[in-house]
Amino acid sequence: MNKQLVIKRTQEFVKETLKIEGTGHDWQHVYRVWKATIHIGKEEKADMFIVELAALLHDIADWKFHSGDQSVGPKKAREWLESQGVDEQIIFQVCEIIANMSFKGAKVENKIKTLEGKIVQDADRLDAIGAIGIGRAFAYGGHKNRALHDPGVKPEIHQTAEHYHNSNGTTINHFYEKLFLLKDLMNTKTGKNMAEHRHKFTEEFLKEFLDEWDGKK
Ligand code: ADP
Ligand code: NI
């Protein structure tokens, strides 16, 4: 098996499958996660073939767009990797990562246990904070017809994945319910360092936003 060729073909397959969509799950998101994965993976000395494949395939079929079915993503990834002649043991590890990496609420246990999984999860989480993360949050909120902000609606600490996914809160509340939590949830040292700056920027943005809210600034 020619690993470089499999990566290249996988990249083309994902680009063609995801194209452009408006919730922040498009090919450009995958591209950013893939690049951050390569950066973190090299620093953390991971198996690069596994992390690159998992990063490229991690949003191939998001459960949110398949009536809540969380098995579609790993299944689609498996079919693709089998068609490329990838070893079963690698397919198994890649699919484990894809099945378990997504954020499911403040108090919901993280099921990612391997170094490779931790790296791809960090890379995906980095894309949810900082300038890009802020942009994605508002894009997602708009797609879901959510208010930007409502001072009368308080953020929630979600105890279960179901509670988190069914939440109808404002986009600003999502900052408290997910974005600000990510910095302390980063798995790797490299990821943590990258998250620090993005986190600070996200906090500064929110401060400006709230300062403008009452028209005093
Ligand atoms: P993950 O990649 O961890 O599965 P999601 O698919 O839940 O993340 O979210 C994709 C993007 O949309 C992220 O940037 C995330 O912060 C944002 N997002 C998710 N839920 C909401 C929400 N309720 N309000 C605003 N943005 C959201
Ligand atoms: Ni993602």
Side-chain angles (χ1 to χ4, degrees):
M1 181 183 43
N2 180 336
K3 291 184 178 178
Q4 272 322 307
L5 189 63
V6 173
I7 297 281
K8 187 167 175 292
R9 286 217 193 109
T10 303
Q11 180 200 336
E12 283 159 5
F13 165 67
V14 176
K15 197 171 175 181
E16 187 52 34
T17 307
L18 296 182
K19 293 194 182 131
I20 292 173
E21 61 89 71
T23 69
H25 287 92
D26 56 0
W27 159 249
Q28 301 298 347
H29 161 66
V30 173
Y31 172 84
R32 296 188 299 267
V33 173
W34 178 38
K35 292 296 158 173
T37 292
I38 292 173
H39 177 75
I40 302 171
K42 281 185 180 158
E43 292 283 322
E44 303 284 333
K45 307 198 180 353
D47 181 320
M48 293 308 291
F49 189 50
I50 291 176
V51 291
E52 285 195 55
L53 287 179
L56 284 168
L57 291 163
H58 87 275
D59 271 338
I60 195 67
D62 196 286
W63 59 270
K64 286 188 222 63
F65 310 107
H66 290 87
S67 320
D69 187 346
Q70 300 189 35
S71 65
V72 183
K75 206 168 130 217
K76 244 184 134 174
R78 166 171 288 281
E79 276 165 19
W80 167 254
L81 294 172
E82 280 175 355
S83 79
Q84 298 304 302
V86 174
D87 297 347
E88 168 56 32
Q89 149 310 82
I90 291 172
I91 298 181
F92 179 82
Q93 292 188 65
V94 170
C95 291
E96 271 292 297
I97 296 174
I98 298 172
N100 292 306
M101 63 183 272
S102 120
F103 181 84
K104 296 191 172 74
K107 296 288 177 201
V108 182
E109 189 203 348
N110 183 8
K111 295 219 172 81
I112 284 285
K113 304 292 176 214
T114 63
L115 172 67
E116 281 70 26
K118 288 176 177 176
I119 287 166
V120 186
Q121 187 175 59
D122 278 2
D124 192 33
R125 288 178 169 179
L126 281 171
D127 210 50
I129 52 177
I132 288 173
I134 294 167
R136 289 179 79 215
F138 286 108
Y140 186 96
H143 175 79
K144 291 276 182 182
N145 227 1
R146 305 246 170 93
L148 297 183
H149 176 47
D150 180 345
V153 182
K154 296 296 166 212
E156 297 177 69
I157 296 301
H158 299 114
Q159 304 285 339
T160 67
E162 205 190 0
H163 186 197
Y164 171 69
H165 290 135
N166 293 334
S167 151
N168 243 334
T170 67
T171 299
I172 289 298
N173 281 354
H174 185 67
F175 281 55
Y176 298 101
E177 291 163 356
K178 175 180 173 186
L179 310 196
F180 288 144
L181 309 178
L182 295 181
K183 174 177 73 74
D184 293 330
L185 294 175
M186 298 301 281
N187 303 298
T188 67
K189 200 159 175 280
T190 314
K192 267 194 178 83
N193 287 340
M194 292 168 81
E196 287 288 338
H197 179 78
R198 296 188 190 209
H199 179 85
K200 261 196 213 118
F201 181 83
T202 312
E203 281 184 331
E204 282 161 22
F205 171 86
L206 187 69
K207 188 178 176 307
E208 285 287 323
F209 186 102
L210 296 174
D211 282 352
E212 289 174 14
W213 195 259
D214 290 317
K216 290 182 191 144
K217 205 179 168 193

